[in-house]
Amino acid sequence: MTEHRSAGPVAASDVGGADPAHVCDVCERAFHTEDLLVLHRGVRHPEALDAAERDAYREVYAEEERAIRSFRIRALGILVLLYFGFLFLYVFYAS
């Protein structure tokens, strides 16, 4: 039977030979980027944050929110274009 692993953060000991640069001080999970570490600490360990870390969390959260909103708008635009594209193709070839 194969072991199923999630795509989420991993323990620092599971990283292999690499020295993880972004490790949570509280739970010792490793992250690929500093932004992911900041988001993790803000969500999972908010009581351990000082004022500067809270401000960093708010900035990274706002940036992530803008990126998600931008993706949603672009995805909606693509869906609308596909819908009307297929509609026009149907009208053109069905008539």
Side-chain angles (χ1 to χ4, degrees):
M1 183 179 343
T2 60
E3 180 180 333
H4 175 48
R5 297 188 64 150
S6 67
V10 296
S13 59
D14 292 342
V15 176
D19 182 28
H22 310 288
V23 178
C24 179
D25 296 335
V26 179
C27 65
E28 297 183 1
R29 284 189 163 181
F31 295 90
H32 295 285
T33 65
E34 185 177 359
D35 288 347
L36 291 175
L37 174 62
V38 170
L39 288 170
H40 163 76
R41 287 182 49 87
V43 171
R44 297 290 182 194
H45 315 293
E47 69 284 345
L49 299 179
D50 60 11
E53 290 173 327
R54 253 184 252 116
D55 290 340
Y57 168 71
R58 287 183 184 125
E59 287 178 22
V60 171
Y61 184 86
E63 184 179 317
E64 184 83 6
E65 195 172 65
R66 282 190 296 272
I68 290 171
R69 185 178 303 127
S70 173
F71 170 77
R72 287 177 178 166
I73 290 171
R74 287 182 284 145
L76 177 64
I78 289 171
L79 287 174
V80 168
L81 286 174
L82 282 172
Y83 175 79
F84 283 107
F86 282 124
L87 182 66
F88 288 139
L89 285 174
Y90 176 74
V91 168
F92 181 72
Y93 286 110
S95 54

